[in-house]
Amino acid sequence: MNKPLSWDKLLLFHRNSYIGNIGRSAFIKNKYTIFKHLLNKRLGISNTEYIKNTILKSNDQYILTNNDFPYDLDNCVAHLILWINSYNKNNDWITSSVELNNLNYFQEIVKRELIQKYKHTKLNNKSIKYIYFENSEKNRSIPGIRHIHIFVLK
């Protein structure tokens, strides 16, 4: 069994396109497999379609959520996802923007979303320590929907 990934190891991936496989704990991996199976068998949809129909139904360009199926991380690290909503007709420019190919483009967006999320918590009074990256296409469990993994030191 692998050890949970530490904050120090995560720092190596900050603002890079991650090409490895971090992985989930056996419990989370099983939970995710069951979730995808139920989506397919009961609703006849993929996890990509589920995200489009739930999270991306808003008009917001960026939606920050907790990751329901987080990577295997130390307990001091929270795993969030920043979804990029390119399915709203008003946001068509998002997927074609040249800046989106550069993860540095998201620095201010990530910071703004995290400040909003944590403004009423203990993290509000101190500088929020975070890193983010995007998986390479071959490692994406939700293909076709642009999303960035964000990790916050609790």
Side-chain angles (χ1 to χ4, degrees), residues 32-55 141-143 145:
Y32 190 41
T33 300
I34 291 168
F35 176 77
K36 291 189 300 185
H37 177 78
L38 290 174
L39 282 178
N40 188 338
K41 293 298 178 193
R42 292 201 178 154
L43 300 177
I45 62 173
S46 68
N47 55 344
T48 299
E49 292 169 298
Y50 175 78
I51 297 298
K52 285 180 190 177
N53 296 334
T54 57
I55 295 171
S141 62
I142 303 181
I145 299 179

Side-chain angles (χ1 to χ4, degrees), residues 15-27:
R15 293 196 315 217
N16 290 306
S17 184
Y18 185 68
I19 57 171
N21 188 0
I22 293 177
R24 296 173 170 93
S25 69
F27 174 77

